[in-house]
Structure formats: structure tokens, C-alpha cells
Amino acid sequence: DFRCDAAVRWNPLRLLQAALRPVRRALRIQVRGLADVSLASCYPLPKSVTLEEGALLEPLAVAVMAVSKIGQMKANSNVVIFGAGPVGLLAMSVAKALGARTVIAVDIIESRLQFAKELAADDYFLPGKMQEGEARMVYSRRQVSACMCSRCR
């Protein structure tokens, strides 16, 4: 049975503990096994909330914050969401729930855009590829003028 001394001494948990040592007190985290987070930052889920629903609370909070606080969206606004991943989809849903007139999704993956349109987006835009040697500003202007969704204009 061959064992390298370096492998025996290398312990990923110790490495993680060392990396977290400077911030452990500030974050109130102690690493034991995976992580032991202080009870002050934990909120018990009501019995009526499933674990799956509970797992969506943080990304939903990010979406609500992005639309209502950072974006300061007003009712009857036109909204463009860049990125049709999980948080982008939630942001589209939040915008609709808060009274957005039009929600347009922008992403580089068409299947995500199609799903976004089924879920909450009124329309979507799939930007074309950047041409070889094309400056970013030229590309951006070309994409704006090429926007095919009827509500972009």
C-alpha cells in the first residue's frame, strides 16, 4: 500500500479553515466538516414551506432587490432583463408581478429565451455573434439596430 507523505499531510479541511481564519469572526462561521453557520443567520422554514421552495427564497430575494430597489422599477414600465438564467427568470417574474408593461429578455442561448417567453417575458432578443476584428462599440451599435423584437423600437 503506497502512500505519499505529502498526501497524508495535505488536508483540504485544514486548508479551508486556514483560508477562512481571517474572516471567520466577521462572518461568524466555523468550519467543521462542511460549515457550521451561526444560528443568528439561520431562519427556520415554516412547515408549510417545502425545502425546494425554501431554496428559492435567496435567488428570489436577489430578483426582488434588483427590480424594486436597484432598478427602481415603476408600474407600467418597459423592462429589459439581460440573462435568462434562474435569477433572470425570477427578475422577469418579479417585474411582471410589480406591474411592468413589457418585459424583454436578452440572452445568448435561444432555448433560455424561448423558456423565458413562456414564463414571463413578452418578447426576447438573441444577439448575433461578434464579427472577427469588430470593435465592441461597433458590435453593440449593430446589435441595437438589428434588434428584431417589435417592442424594442
Side-chain angles (χ1 to χ4, degrees):
D1 196 3
F2 174 76
R3 290 176 49 177
C4 173
D5 286 339
V8 172
R9 286 192 307 262
W10 186 78
N11 181 333
L13 181 57
R14 278 195 207 152
L15 186 63
L16 183 59
Q17 286 174 329
L20 288 176
R21 195 170 293 132
V23 294
R24 186 182 302 155
R25 183 174 293 154
L27 297 178
R28 294 187 182 140
I29 291 177
Q30 294 180 356
V31 179
R32 290 187 199 129
L34 294 175
D36 181 18
V37 180
S38 117
L39 291 177
S41 62
C42 294
Y43 300 93
L45 294 175
K47 291 187 190 280
S48 61
V49 176
T50 67
L51 290 177
E52 290 82 5
E53 292 166 337
L56 283 175
L57 289 175
E58 189 274 339
L60 178 61
V62 169
V64 169
M65 203 60 167
V67 173
S68 65
K69 300 288 185 203
I70 297 168
Q72 298 178 352
M73 191 204 90
K74 307 279 188 259
N76 210 27
S77 296
N78 294 318
V79 177
V80 178
I81 305 287
F82 289 86
V87 175
L89 292 170
L90 287 168
M92 291 174 216
S93 300
V94 168
K96 277 299 204 183
L98 294 178
R101 179 179 2 160
T102 304
V103 174
I104 298 172
V106 178
D107 203 294
I108 59 172
I109 301 172
E110 190 166 15
S111 59
R112 282 185 168 196
L113 292 169
Q114 290 168 348
F115 183 74
K117 188 161 183 188
E118 291 173 21
L119 181 71
D122 295 300
D123 213 336
Y124 65 81
F125 178 64
L126 175 67
K129 296 196 184 283
M130 197 172 204
Q131 297 171 355
E132 191 173 324
E134 184 176 33
R136 287 182 184 209
M137 189 55 76
V138 173
Y139 169 75
S140 297
R141 287 186 183 129
R142 183 169 60 82
Q143 293 307 308
V144 169
S145 65
C147 182
M148 299 308 289
C149 53
S150 59
R151 293 181 175 100
C152 286
R153 296 187 179 168

